[in-house]
Amino acid sequence: MRMADIVKETNGKHENMVEITVKTIGPARPSRLHVPSSIKVLDLRKLIAEKNHLPVENLKLILQGKVLHDREDEDDVYTRLNDGDSLVVAVKPRAPVGLSIDDDDEDLKFQLPQSTSRWKKKLYSFLRNRLKLPDIILMAIFSLSLKAWALVILWFILAPIAHKWDLGPLYILGTGFCLIFLNLGRRQPGDVSAYSIFNEDFRELPGTLNADAIDRDIRTGRI
């Protein structure tokens, strides 16, 4: 991509051109680059890759200690540059032939599926980038359905009422039993429970060890 094309695309989004210093990690010497003061991160990566003859897909840009990303919530990200800024460029090594290796830390973090609605992606971006919530909390938030969240909110609303009527322990025990029964699976026709009391004619699983089996083995001389 040429500079003229980028200036045309960013018309109205920048005030002037600035000169930045590009420092590539490795033996390469720092270079200077004239770019618009406001530019898409993707266009900036393409410019640096073209000038330094580097693979654009393997470039990672770092400005003031922050990694620049091309897109956020499926929208192009613009970065604001000042005259004299230093931009660090890291080149990820190519994966060996026949292997697909990606050492990007972003792939190790919790991410929403591509089919997630736009408002959920906006909320996820706000909680992660603005509030800096850890991934374990984000996973808990976005793994629950709206129905589950409604039940959680209802539980917290009813908890003070149970405490006021001195029913706190009973309320917690009742919640525990409800969670157990709601998470019980349904047996398919022909399936046998591990507990004989739940089976027809109290039928036991083969190999079950109980008092009757021990008594039978003693009488038959197996023990």
Side-chain angles (χ1 to χ4, degrees):
M1 177 173 288
R2 298 179 179 179
M3 178 63 68
D5 298 332
I6 294 178
V7 172
K8 183 177 180 181
E9 289 182 4
T10 59
N11 186 28
K13 294 184 175 63
H14 65 277
E15 298 175 356
N16 52 13
M17 302 290 290
V18 297
E19 184 183 61
I20 62 174
T21 302
V22 179
K23 300 179 179 179
T24 304
I25 297 178
R29 294 183 178 182
S31 61
R32 297 187 180 275
L33 185 66
H34 288 84
V35 295
S37 59
S38 180
I39 185 175
K40 292 180 182 178
V41 175
L42 179 59
D43 292 340
L44 183 59
R45 284 204 308 125
K46 291 180 179 179
L47 279 176
I48 295 174
E50 181 180 356
K51 181 177 180 179
N52 297 280
H53 306 288
L54 299 172
V56 63
E57 65 276 4
N58 289 358
L59 289 188
K60 180 181 291 187
L61 307 183
I62 305 172
L63 179 64
Q64 298 178 355
K66 181 181 179 181
V67 178
L68 302 181
H69 300 282
D70 296 343
R71 298 176 69 85
E72 184 175 313
D73 300 334
E74 300 185 355
D75 295 328
D76 291 326
V77 175
Y78 282 82
T79 184
R80 185 77 180 182
L81 300 172
N82 298 316
D83 198 40
D85 279 348
S86 294
L87 189 69
V88 178
V89 179
V91 183
K92 295 187 295 184
R94 295 180 179 274
V97 178
L99 295 177
S100 177
I101 301 176
D102 191 356
D103 59 348
D104 195 347
D105 292 340
E106 293 297 320
D107 293 339
L108 302 178
K109 297 182 178 180
F110 171 71
Q111 296 180 354
L112 294 177
Q114 294 294 333
S115 58
T116 305
S117 59
R118 188 175 182 83
W119 73 269
K120 280 189 176 182
K121 291 182 179 179
K122 291 286 186 182
L123 178 60
Y124 171 77
S125 177
F126 175 78
L127 295 176
R128 180 181 178 184
N129 300 328
R130 302 288 183 178
L131 300 184
K132 305 297 182 181
L133 294 183
D135 286 355
I136 187 65
I137 296 180
L138 293 174
M139 187 181 302
I141 291 175
F142 290 96
S143 297
L144 296 178
S145 62
L146 292 178
K147 182 179 179 181
W149 273 114
L151 293 175
V152 170
I153 294 174
L154 180 63
W155 189 91
F156 279 103
I157 293 175
L158 296 178
I161 300 176
H163 176 71
K164 182 179 179 181
W165 290 93
D166 294 330
L167 297 175
L170 184 61
Y171 184 70
I172 295 176
L173 287 175
T175 302
F177 281 114
C178 287
L179 290 176
I180 292 174
F181 282 109
L182 290 176
N183 285 279
L184 289 178
R186 294 186 177 181
R187 286 187 294 166
Q188 300 296 327
D191 290 346
V192 181
S193 173
Y195 301 96
S196 59
I197 191 174
F198 297 113
N199 297 329
E200 185 177 358
D201 298 330
F202 300 101
R203 184 158 56 97
E204 298 175 349
L205 291 177
T208 301
L209 181 63
N210 51 29
D212 292 337
I214 295 175
D215 180 69
R216 183 171 58 254
D217 291 342
I218 292 176
R219 292 177 182 275
T220 57
R222 295 182 181 179
I223 296 181

